[in-house]
């Protein structure tokens, strides 16, 4: 440190000189504050891609707000579907603006293959050890994604029209439900895996869907839904009184006061998850890792269960009995009760199954 000698200073200063010095000092301090404030603001935020609607609101409440409260780092959401987010990551591959991305199973594997994801290192995300084994996704020995919660495709029904809750997928073929059933088309993310799921529960050989399509041709549907929103609209309008829908969407309708029930059939349910990903070359990698770490706390997982009825992908999470019955596996269940398919198999067979659907069902 340099010390100034008092002897070298003038013995007296005019009031004008003092005023001028004060003005200069104020200007320097102001400039200094501005100079430090701008980089701090620039470094004090991360960009996270997540879904719209109640999903985005839940991610904000359960993860983003606790993260910001703990770190002071602001979360800027970029709203979009998984496919939109993947396209953005591919376009920005050399200079990404995103730090973290929520994407669904299936799209997650595509993102990994496209080389737009960084490895999630336990050293930077210590809560990775709290995730259930099923929720940790690896490729070439590294973790490329971690689940934030599960949702399932189960039996959804109008409780006024369907007096006895359905217990089997085969109930969709009952005569009283003719022309009032809805199931997903391959245009929906659940469409192709749902067909593979039916093929499995009916005991047909893997890879041979002929008997499954033959049975589906006999199903008298009101519509095949291309989006979850279309399914919700069909149940809400009464166009469909029974069929398939995600537990998240079905219970959302029920919570709004509509006469909608959701059942986990005896054959089980197909399920997938919403996953967290660290973007490769993320502008703010350390903060991005801390965000993912926050998402893997029991508190965040319980909050998502309460807001969306996502089945926790974190160990040691407790929820109320009312929330438990609305989780993807139903009362007393767990991730072990879900039928989780390998998305590599689904993506591999997607084109062939879609072609078969178009030939056998879409042209009916």
């Amino acid at each position: 440190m340099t010390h100034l000698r008092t002897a070298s200073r003038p013995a007296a200063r005019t009031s004008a000189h003092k005023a001028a010095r004060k003005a200069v000092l104020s200007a320097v301090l102001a400039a200094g504050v501005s100079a430090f404030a701008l980089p701090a603001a620039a470094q004090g935020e991360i960009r996270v891609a997540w879904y719209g609607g109640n999903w985005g609101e839940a991610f904000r409440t359960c993860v983003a707000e606790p993260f910001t409260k703990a770190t002071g780092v602001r979360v800027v959401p970029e709203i979009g579907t998984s496919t939109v987010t993947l396209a953005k990551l591919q376009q920005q591959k050399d200079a990404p603006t995103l730090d973290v991305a929520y994407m669904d199973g299936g799209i997650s594997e595509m993102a990994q293959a496209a080389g737009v994801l960084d490895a999630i290192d336990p050293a930077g995300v210590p809560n990775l050890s709290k995730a259930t084994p099923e929720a940790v996704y690896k490729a070439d020995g590294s973790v490329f994604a971690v689940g934030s919660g599960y949702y399932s495709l189960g039996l959804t029904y109008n409780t006024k029209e369907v007096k006895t809750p359905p217990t089997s997928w085969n109930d969709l073929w009952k005569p009283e439900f003719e022309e009032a059933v809805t199931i997903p088309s391959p245009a929906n993310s659940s469409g192709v895996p749902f067909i593979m799921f039916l093929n499995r529960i009916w005991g047909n050989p893997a890879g041979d869907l002929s008997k499954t399509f033959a049975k589906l041709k006999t199903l008298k549907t009101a519509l095949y839904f291309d989006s979850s929103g279309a399914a919700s609209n069909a149940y809400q309008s009464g166009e469909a009184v029974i069929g398939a829908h995600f537990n998240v969407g079905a219970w959302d309708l029920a919570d709004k006061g509509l006469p909608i029930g959701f059942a986990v059939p005896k054959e089980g349910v197909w399920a997938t998850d919403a996953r967290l990903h660290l973007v490769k070359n993320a502008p703010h990698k350390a903060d991005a890792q801390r965000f993912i770490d926050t998402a893997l706390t029991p508190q965040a997982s319980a909050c998502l269960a309460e807001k969306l009825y996502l089945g926790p992908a974190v160990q040691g999470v407790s929820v109320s009995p009312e929330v438990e019955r609305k989780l993807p596996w139903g009362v007393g269940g767990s991730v072990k009760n879900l039928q989780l398919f390998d998305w590599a198999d689904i993506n591999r067979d997607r084109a062939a199954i879609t072609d078969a659907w178009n030939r056998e069902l879409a042209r009916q």
Side-chain angles (χ1 to χ4, degrees):
M1 180 180 293
T2 302
H3 298 277
L4 297 177
R5 296 182 183 178
T6 58
S8 65
R9 295 180 180 179
R13 300 180 187 274
T14 65
S15 59
H17 190 178
K18 289 181 178 179
R21 183 176 180 276
K22 184 177 181 180
V24 170
L25 182 59
S26 297
V28 170
L29 288 173
V33 169
S34 298
F36 284 104
L38 287 175
Q43 294 174 5
E45 68 178 34
I46 61 171
R47 292 187 172 272
V48 179
W50 64 43
Y51 321 130
N54 59 336
W55 285 79
E57 290 304 312
F59 291 146
R60 182 191 304 277
T61 300
C62 300
V63 185
E65 290 179 358
F67 166 78
T68 298
K69 184 177 181 180
T71 65
V73 178
R74 188 166 67 102
V75 176
V76 180
E78 294 204 11
I79 308 300
T81 63
S82 296
T83 52
V84 168
T85 296
L86 175 56
K88 186 178 295 185
L89 290 176
Q90 290 175 308
Q91 291 167 359
Q92 301 178 356
K93 187 173 184 179
D94 296 329
T97 61
L98 290 170
D99 297 289
V100 177
Y102 281 92
M103 290 183 284
D104 292 331
I107 304 300
S108 173
E109 282 78 4
M110 293 179 182
Q112 189 278 326
V116 297
L117 304 178
D118 202 351
I120 299 176
D121 188 349
V125 185
N127 283 333
L128 186 63
S129 63
K130 296 180 180 179
T132 61
E134 296 86 353
V136 178
Y137 299 90
K138 295 183 178 181
D140 302 322
S142 298
V143 177
F144 69 87
V146 59
S148 64
Y150 294 96
Y151 54 99
S152 68
L153 192 76
L155 280 172
T156 300
Y157 59 99
N158 185 309
T159 57
K160 287 186 176 181
E161 301 291 336
V162 182
K163 301 302 183 182
T164 302
T167 60
S168 169
W169 287 104
N170 292 323
D171 288 344
L172 298 181
W173 276 260
K174 288 184 175 181
E176 59 264 38
F177 300 140
E178 287 186 1
E179 311 296 340
V181 176
T182 185
I183 60 172
S185 77
N188 186 269
S189 62
S190 65
V192 170
F194 180 60
I195 294 170
M196 297 173 71
F197 164 75
L198 292 177
N199 198 64
R200 175 188 288 179
I201 66 171
W202 288 335
N204 297 327
D208 182 0
L209 302 176
S210 57
K211 291 182 179 179
T212 297
F213 274 112
K215 186 173 179 65
L216 284 171
K217 287 177 70 173
T218 66
L219 183 63
K220 305 296 184 180
T221 60
L223 76 157
Y224 301 122
F225 63 85
D226 292 343
S227 69
S228 296
S232 291
N233 290 339
Y235 290 114
Q236 189 168 358
S237 67
E239 182 180 7
V241 300
I242 192 170
H245 200 8
F246 292 113
N247 71 301
V248 173
W251 290 122
D252 180 59
L253 292 174
D255 288 347
K256 291 175 180 176
L258 295 169
I260 298 297
F262 179 87
V264 175
K266 61 184 180 182
E267 301 94 346
V269 289
W270 170 79
T272 187
D273 55 354
R275 303 178 189 172
L276 283 154
H277 307 81
L278 178 63
V279 176
K280 190 172 184 178
N281 299 318
H284 312 102
K285 181 175 179 178
D287 287 332
Q289 289 176 313
R290 292 178 74 180
F291 179 90
I292 295 173
D293 200 56
T294 301
L296 296 179
T297 60
Q299 294 83 358
S301 190
C303 181
L304 290 175
E306 292 167 2
K307 299 288 185 183
L308 295 174
Y309 308 120
L310 286 183
V314 173
Q315 302 175 57
V317 176
S318 298
V319 296
S320 68
E322 176 62 15
V323 170
E324 181 187 11
R325 75 181 186 88
K326 297 179 180 180
L327 295 181
W329 42 67
V331 177
S334 73
V335 65
K336 302 293 185 184
N337 300 104
L338 301 178
Q339 296 212 28
L340 303 170
F341 283 70
D342 187 334
W343 278 100
D345 295 337
I346 295 171
N347 291 337
R348 181 197 64 215
D349 296 339
R350 184 180 301 279
I353 292 175
T354 301
D355 287 345
W357 173 279
N358 291 335
R359 288 194 312 269
E360 302 290 340
L361 298 174
R363 298 174 184 172
Q364 288 192 112

